[in-house]
Amino acid sequence: MRTAIATVCLSGTFPEKIEAIAAAQFKGVEIFENDLLSFNGTPADARRMIEGLGLETITFQPFRDFEGMPEPQRSKVFARAERKFDVMQELGCDLLMVCSNVSPDSLGGIERAAADFHELGERAAKRGLRVAFEALSWGRHIHDYRDSWEVVRRASHPAVGLVLDSFHVLARGTDLSAIRSIPSEKIFLVQMADAPRLDMDYLSWSRHYRCFPGQGDLPIDAFMDALGATGFDGLISLEIFNDRFRAGSARSVATDGQRSLIVMLDELRQRTGAALPDHPVLPPKAICSGIEFVEFAVDERSAAGFEQTLSGLGFQKAGRHRSKAVTRWRQGDINIVVNADKEGFAHSFNITHGTSVCALALRVDDAQGAINRATTLLDQPFQQPVGPGETNIPAVRGLGGSLLYFVDRKSGLDRLWEVDFDPVATDDFSGAGLRSVDHVSQSMHYEEMLTWLLFYASLLDVRKTPVQTVIDPGGVVQSQAIETHDGSLRLILNASQSQRTLSSRFLNELFGSGVQHIALVTDDIFRTVQSLKENGVDLLPIPENYYDDLEVRIDLSVDDVERLRQANILYDREEENEYFQVYTKTLVGGFFFEIVERRNYKGYGAANAPIRLASQTRLASEAVPSGL
Ligand code: MG
Ligand code: MG
């Protein structure tokens, strides 16, 4: 198959779009007419630019409101088509995409539409051009691919073919089996788009919420399987209308598009055994079994305060790096690396972002395999010099320029603590009962959220949960979890369009996207809270009203509620499964820790999030940050 992307997917001027498409290693481009109209040059200039970047224009689109017109409009649409053919010839493009008519003037009837297409095919063929017909899901008479195919079949012209657009097909839930019997050579173009499941009219859904395959909820696999069954080996092009893409970075979105196609076609190959020789074979998704360490970039001045916070949380200094100003803090299965070195990545990260999480290390089955997969997916591998004999941990660039490391047992990377660190002798230390990392919550720009969803979901063997809407006192926050099937890795992506939410204010404080909080697991939250209090850790106060409501909302005894109230613990329940949450006050830089106890509970306490956000907002307006 030959892959392409439509200019309409991206932000920027026409030349910026074309450059971004070439940079993302596409070979084909679908020119959306409006992009050409706004270009300050002739179609021949556009052609020179496109071909100069090694691209080919595979389609010119859309040609609207064509079929079924009564006279005198009918003559006019044919005249209009001839003008577009002129442009296409100058542009060096041989395929015009015609979408089904939405005009109230248009007349129905498959035979009438077929006759119009036959004539259009005749005119196109005279110039060595072709036309392809797409059923818009909101087309006036034709909105089902089975009808557009019937039009193309009856038009019976070699220059007339079909467009299958996955959004239009899947949004209406149209049965896919008829695709399998369409002769593949009559499918001139396949347009790919996914979308989140939304209950809205097709036009608005399509124009604002389309996304790349894998970013949404539509059954793209079933569509591709049906297409694969035809033996299709033609043009497959991403056609995404998305408000976030239009506001995002053209280069980053184009790369996401390429990444989504690499994954989609590799998965098709795995499911069906299709050869697809022109498309990269991906190493398997990384199987992740938890977080090996979280690394904080600190400077000399803030290191002591940060380490004091860690001590308060029950962490113990367990190791000192052999050659760098880096320490390992440990509790249960949790490792926190405090990097105050004056050289290297963490240092530059700290200069820009202040005290913050500069890296996460994932425990995976095969670290080199993870890097190989990442590289094939066009992620950015990262390397920096390591001292002689020290562990070289493979990494890729992650959110906000931070790093994502991969540690495995297979290649001995899990021995990094023995190899790179001198143990620090400590007193017998019981800690605060914290056992492991429960989840890592990352805040990002709204336009980036689908990028990072795809980044994680394409690299790791994880599933995504439906997007949740959380109410912050300053606006609405979108929140989406990505988790392994056993819950050993849970990442929460948060983004908001409002500048006044805690999530957005965190981005401003951090000068970028990053980890806003880390939740740590305890098996006894009351004991942990007690330890924290004894250690002088400030916890986020929760309003009395919350507990009054809890008493009536959830069937808890007065004594149980009193215990929660005393400890500032938030509580949620799903059937018999319980969840307990407590938060530290916000530290410098807007970061905070959460402590959770799960009793078979699977979610993240969404019902409690507005309470927590309101308390944090109130505190932020009252006082300077504590801790650090
Ligand atoms: Mg389309
Ligand atoms: Mg949380």
Side-chain angles (χ1 to χ4, degrees):
M1 288 182 217
R2 289 160 63 212
T3 54
I5 186 169
T7 53
V8 72
C9 300
L10 306 178
S11 65
T13 62
F14 186 63
E16 284 166 351
K17 289 173 187 234
I18 299 296
E19 277 163 21
I21 289 167
Q25 303 178 20
F26 281 96
K27 293 280 170 274
V29 57
E30 209 180 313
I31 304 288
F32 199 69
E33 187 174 19
N34 273 359
D35 285 319
L36 184 67
L37 296 181
S38 61
F39 173 56
N40 188 23
T42 64
D45 294 335
R47 178 182 190 163
R48 271 189 293 279
M49 176 177 68
I50 290 163
E51 292 179 354
L53 286 164
L55 290 165
E56 181 195 356
T57 301
I58 56 125
T59 304
F60 185 62
Q61 67 125 325
F63 190 66
R64 298 185 193 278
D65 295 336
F66 165 70
E67 84 283 5
M69 282 302 202
E71 290 295 358
Q73 290 102 314
R74 186 174 186 278
S75 303
K76 285 184 183 155
V77 293
F78 276 99
R80 187 157 58 88
E82 294 286 356
R83 293 286 296 278
K84 299 305 165 193
F85 289 159
D86 295 341
V87 172
M88 287 165 62
Q89 286 184 305
E90 211 183 327
L91 199 54
C93 166
D94 81 331
L95 184 63
L96 179 69
M97 199 209 82
V98 183
C99 53
S100 58
N101 205 324
V102 300
S103 164
D105 296 339
S106 66
L107 305 171
I110 298 279
E111 203 55 55
R112 182 193 316 273
D116 288 344
F117 269 99
H118 185 88
E119 182 173 342
L120 192 64
E122 280 291 300
R123 292 174 181 235
K126 277 191 191 132
R127 302 180 186 229
L129 305 177
R130 302 174 303 147
V131 296
F133 186 35
E134 171 190 70
L136 291 175
S137 45
W138 58 89
R140 188 159 187 94
H141 300 287
I142 292 179
H143 46 246
D144 184 319
Y145 78 89
R146 291 168 296 196
D147 291 336
S148 51
W149 164 234
E150 189 55 22
V151 169
V152 168
R153 198 183 66 78
R154 291 198 206 176
S156 185
H157 195 287
V160 178
L162 183 68
V163 179
L164 286 175
D165 179 312
S166 65
F167 176 86
H168 295 308
V169 174
L170 297 172
R172 297 188 72 101
T174 318
D175 182 64
L176 298 172
S177 53
I179 291 178
R180 294 173 180 264
S181 50
I182 300 173
S184 63
E185 69 279 6
K186 292 305 285 184
I187 305 171
F188 282 6
L189 176 67
V190 173
Q191 290 182 319
M192 290 308 302
D194 199 344
R197 276 258 162 251
L198 297 170
D199 190 14
M200 66 195 311
D201 68 282
Y202 296 124
L203 187 134
S204 309
W205 188 12
S206 174
R207 292 270 167 88
H208 302 285
Y209 295 97
R210 284 182 178 225
C211 54
F212 291 131
Q215 291 177 328
D217 304 322
L218 297 180
I220 295 292
D221 291 356
F223 177 88
M224 287 305 294
D225 288 351
L227 182 69
T230 68
F232 177 78
D233 191 28
L235 281 170
I236 194 154
S237 179
L238 295 163
E239 191 205 32
I240 317 293
F241 309 85
N242 184 300
D243 296 352
R244 298 197 220 194
F245 290 8
R246 290 183 219 259
S249 142
R251 282 195 167 228
S252 156
V253 170
T255 304
D256 288 348
Q258 186 67 273
R259 182 175 293 136
S260 75
L261 287 176
I262 292 171
V263 174
M264 185 185 82
L265 293 174
D266 183 68
E267 289 179 351
L268 174 68
R269 178 194 286 122
Q270 285 179 41
R271 287 195 310 276
T272 66
L276 301 172
D278 299 332
H279 302 283
V281 176
L282 283 171
K285 285 185 173 178
I287 296 174
C288 184
S289 55
I291 291 183
E292 180 65 33
F293 65 84
V294 179
E295 181 171 348
F296 284 83
V298 301
D299 58 24
E300 247 177 343
R301 256 182 334 109
S302 58
F306 184 66
E307 294 189 346
Q308 201 183 333
T309 303
L310 293 179
S311 294
L313 289 167
F315 283 87
Q316 176 183 28
K317 190 186 282 187
R320 204 173 265 122
H321 196 278
R322 299 220 156 110
S323 66
K324 297 176 188 164
V326 173
T327 52
R328 173 199 188 188
W329 291 72
R330 192 176 176 190
Q331 182 169 191
D333 198 24
I334 312 162
N335 291 299
I336 290 183
V337 170
V338 180
N339 192 330
D341 209 50
K342 290 207 187 72
E343 302 273 336
F345 170 78
H347 179 63
S348 19
F349 198 88
N350 178 266
I351 288 173
T352 312
H353 303 291
T355 300
S356 53
V357 174
C358 64
L360 294 173
L362 304 183
R363 289 184 190 127
V364 294
D365 56 332
D366 176 2
Q368 193 52 51
I371 287 294
N372 294 345
R373 182 173 175 99
T375 311
T376 315
L377 286 168
L378 312 178
D379 298 334
Q380 298 291 322
F382 173 86
Q383 275 213 310
Q384 69 178 346
V386 295
E390 290 175 4
T391 317
N392 192 355
I393 312 173
V396 288
R397 289 276 181 181
L399 178 71
S402 67
L403 299 182
L404 194 63
Y405 283 111
F406 301 104
V407 174
D408 66 4
R409 173 162 295 173
K410 192 173 160 182
S411 40
L413 291 164
D414 62 337
R415 292 183 55 247
L416 80 126
W417 307 117
E418 302 154 47
V419 175
D420 292 7
F421 288 78
D422 288 323
V424 173
T426 49
D427 307 334
D428 181 31
F429 197 85
S430 59
L434 300 179
R435 188 162 55 75
S436 60
V437 175
D438 184 85
H439 60 268
V440 173
S441 174
Q442 300 187 313
S443 288
M444 58 202 70
H445 296 287
Y446 186 71
E447 301 76 40
E448 287 183 296
M449 201 166 165
L450 289 169
T451 294
W452 295 104
L453 170 69
L454 184 64
F455 170 79
Y456 291 119
S458 60
L459 187 53
L460 309 172
D461 185 23
V462 286
R463 64 175 175 213
K464 58 181 196 279
T465 65
V467 175
Q468 300 243 21
T469 299
V470 176
I471 305 302
D472 177 290
V476 173
V477 179
Q478 306 281 343
S479 185
Q480 178 154 42
I482 294 165
E483 42 190 37
T484 54
H485 301 276
D486 63 359
S488 59
L489 177 73
R490 296 183 173 102
L491 300 170
I492 318 288
L493 313 184
N494 291 313
S496 171
Q497 281 180 292
S498 162
Q499 290 303 307
R500 294 173 52 239
T501 57
L502 213 65
S503 170
S504 295
R505 281 156 43 189
F506 171 75
L507 295 188
N508 293 333
E509 283 189 53
L510 187 73
F511 290 99
S513 304
V515 173
Q516 191 184 19
H517 78 261
I518 294 176
L520 305 171
V521 179
T522 174
D523 293 327
D524 182 349
I525 197 155
F526 294 100
R527 195 206 124 202
T528 297
V529 168
Q530 187 56 38
S531 297
L532 266 46
K533 280 187 178 163
E534 285 164 11
N535 295 343
V537 175
D538 279 335
L539 297 178
L540 181 72
I542 302 301
E544 292 288 320
N545 290 340
Y546 170 77
Y547 296 101
D548 293 344
D549 174 63
L550 201 58
E551 217 172 289
V552 290
R553 184 162 57 88
I554 294 179
D555 169 33
L556 280 175
S557 75
V558 175
D559 287 353
D560 285 342
V561 172
E562 186 51 30
R563 283 185 82 201
L564 296 171
R565 184 204 315 264
Q566 290 289 335
N568 286 298
I569 294 171
L570 296 163
Y571 177 85
D572 194 27
R573 191 193 275 171
E574 285 170 353
E575 293 167 358
E576 291 309 300
N577 306 327
E578 298 178 291
Y579 193 51
F580 302 80
Q581 306 167 271
V582 71
Y583 294 89
T584 68
K585 283 190 181 170
T586 302
L587 310 174
V588 162
F591 176 86
F592 53 93
F593 286 102
E594 177 184 4
I595 290 151
V596 304
E597 182 182 339
R598 286 181 186 272
R599 298 184 185 162
N600 293 319
Y601 179 97
K602 298 287 182 273
Y604 298 90
N608 293 328
I611 308 292
R612 183 259 293 177
L613 288 163
S615 292
Q616 289 174 319
T617 305
R618 196 172 48 246
L619 273 192
S621 63
E622 279 170 13
V624 292
S626 71
L628 297 192

